[in-house]
Amino acid sequence: MLRVGAAIAPGRWQYRSIFTSATRRERIANFEAYWAYSVGHDGEILQNQKDLVKKRDTLADFQAHPVRSRRPLADPTRFYRNHVIMRDDPRTLDRKTLLLTFLYKFARHEYVGISAAWGRTERITESTSMIAKIGLYHLCEEFSHMRLFQEIFRTLHLDKVEWVPLGKWMSRMYRLFPLFPEAVLAPPAFVSELMGLSVYQHLDGVLDDILDDEPEARERVRTLLREVMTDELAHVGQRRNFLGPLGLRAAHATVESMYRAFFRDIPETKLLFNVEQMVQDGRRSTTAAFASLDASLRAPTMYTWLSSTGA
């Protein structure tokens, strides 16, 4: 997916690890390319709405042309009883319900995190730095993802899904997290983005099996999910550009522990996915892995700002 050096045979690609070092000049250039790509892809910021112009229009189009599964869940009450906290034995839930309770729990962590970060944002002015603008843009993208997730739930006839705050201590941790210096914040923030992309890839991989009897709903869920995946792919490259050599080593060293700790807290994970494979995918993350994503998730303009993730 990334640019190669022409070090190997013509017409062949050489892929590099996302944990490869990059110079400061390369990273600055990549921030500028990322900003240009983002505004071109998703439009201007609507700060009062926590939204972006093209994201708003995309969601409106989905809502104007709704798709609903032929049948609701076998027992929707089991979703609502277990989506925040798993109260039943997860092994007794059908796989559609497991998929949706997992998605809710994962997205809920994102919602709490971005809500805490939003509380520290300031309005964009002419003096706002490139990094600050990118940070605000990133948050608006994440809020748009929450709306897309709710559209996924509605596709399966779950119309009463609301984002519930995490417990007191976990909520406090998310509020404190943005206060750390960037040098401390950058490695776990990068791994979090990498983990998000891993999750969405594995979710995409089980849709054919779990929603095999709902072809229309399955394709709508996949389309909505890939709207999110496109941004997550971009976010991995964007967060990568905050990392110098030390931060890069710290991020690589914490991939396994962060993945395992997070997924341990969501009991559905091991019933839906191969957790060991997810951990190994994160540890071995290369640009080749990103290249394997459907081409519709990528744009040529991504190549430049992701190029710092190579070799």
Side-chain angles (χ1 to χ4, degrees):
M1 168 174 175
L2 301 188
R3 290 192 194 280
V4 229
I8 55 177
R12 302 213 26 212
W13 293 93
Q14 178 184 4
Y15 297 108
R16 305 182 297 176
S17 169
I18 192 129
F19 295 103
T20 301
S21 186
T23 67
R24 181 176 177 81
R25 179 176 295 180
E26 286 173 328
R27 288 186 282 128
I28 290 172
N30 285 342
F31 277 127
E32 294 172 352
Y34 176 83
W35 176 250
Y37 163 77
S38 295
V39 176
H41 186 263
D42 290 329
E44 297 295 331
I45 292 175
L46 301 170
Q47 192 164 353
N48 289 338
Q49 301 171 42
K50 302 178 184 176
D51 209 347
L52 304 166
V53 170
K54 293 185 181 179
K55 291 291 190 189
R56 178 197 59 189
D57 296 345
T58 296
L59 179 63
D61 187 62
F62 283 128
Q63 293 175 336
H65 304 91
V67 174
R68 296 294 180 262
S69 60
R70 300 170 185 177
R71 293 170 294 279
L73 296 179
D75 185 358
T77 61
R78 298 201 76 188
F79 168 83
Y80 289 110
R81 187 163 67 246
N82 293 287
H83 71 304
V84 177
I85 298 172
M86 183 57 68
R87 303 181 187 282
D88 298 338
D89 182 343
R91 293 170 297 181
T92 67
L93 299 181
D94 66 273
R95 283 172 61 77
K96 286 179 187 174
T97 302
L98 274 177
L99 178 75
L100 294 165
T101 57
F102 170 88
L103 180 61
Y104 179 88
K105 289 179 176 69
F106 183 82
R108 179 186 176 214
H109 276 273
E110 293 232 3
Y111 178 78
V112 172
I114 61 178
S115 296
W118 186 266
R120 301 185 65 249
T121 61
E122 298 180 359
R123 296 200 65 82
I124 288 182
T125 66
E126 292 184 1
S127 62
T128 301
S129 70
M130 175 71 68
I131 301 299
K133 287 192 293 186
I134 287 174
L136 184 63
Y137 204 94
H138 184 158
L139 288 174
C140 288
E141 284 182 326
E142 296 286 7
F143 278 111
S144 78
H145 296 172
M146 298 302 111
R147 301 178 188 107
L148 292 173
F149 290 138
Q150 288 188 307
E151 193 63 26
I152 289 176
F153 293 126
R154 283 190 285 268
T155 300
L156 279 299
H157 299 278
L158 297 171
D159 302 319
K160 302 175 183 178
V161 177
E162 302 290 342
W163 302 114
V164 177
L166 295 172
K168 180 175 70 173
W169 294 109
M170 188 64 73
S171 296
R172 182 175 298 176
M173 184 191 77
Y174 274 107
R175 288 196 299 272
L176 291 174
F177 191 62
L179 301 177
F180 286 102
E182 185 60 46
V184 176
L185 175 67
F190 169 73
V191 175
S192 294
E193 294 294 347
L194 191 62
M195 181 164 57
L197 184 59
S198 297
V199 165
Y200 300 132
Q201 284 182 268
H202 282 259
L203 279 169
D204 187 77
V206 300
L207 290 181
D208 287 340
D209 176 39
I210 295 178
L211 297 178
D212 64 328
D213 61 337
E214 294 283 358
E216 298 86 2
R218 180 185 65 225
E219 292 314 305
R220 171 52 65 92
V221 169
R222 175 165 279 134
T223 300
L224 290 163
L225 185 62
R226 290 190 174 189
E227 284 286 329
V228 176
M229 288 173 71
T230 302
D231 293 338
E232 291 301 324
L233 177 61
H235 293 170
V236 170
Q238 181 253 341
R239 288 304 319 183
R240 166 64 185 81
N241 286 324
F242 283 95
L243 298 175
L246 289 177
L248 203 58
R249 288 197 291 272
H252 194 238
T254 58
V255 166
E256 181 169 359
S257 59
M258 282 188 63
Y259 271 50
R260 291 190 187 283
F262 187 86
F263 294 134
R264 192 181 303 121
D265 194 46
I266 303 179
E268 296 93 326
T269 309
K270 62 184 179 182
L271 299 175
L272 291 167
F273 312 116
N274 183 335
V275 176
E276 292 303 316
Q277 187 62 54
M278 295 176 83
V279 171
Q280 292 307 311
D281 288 349
R283 287 180 58 81
R284 291 197 303 261
S285 291
T286 65
T287 57
F290 298 143
S292 69
L293 290 171
D294 189 293
S296 66
L297 298 181
R298 296 181 265 118
T301 47
M302 288 184 181
Y303 294 169
T304 43
W305 56 260
L306 268 174
S307 65
S308 74
T309 64

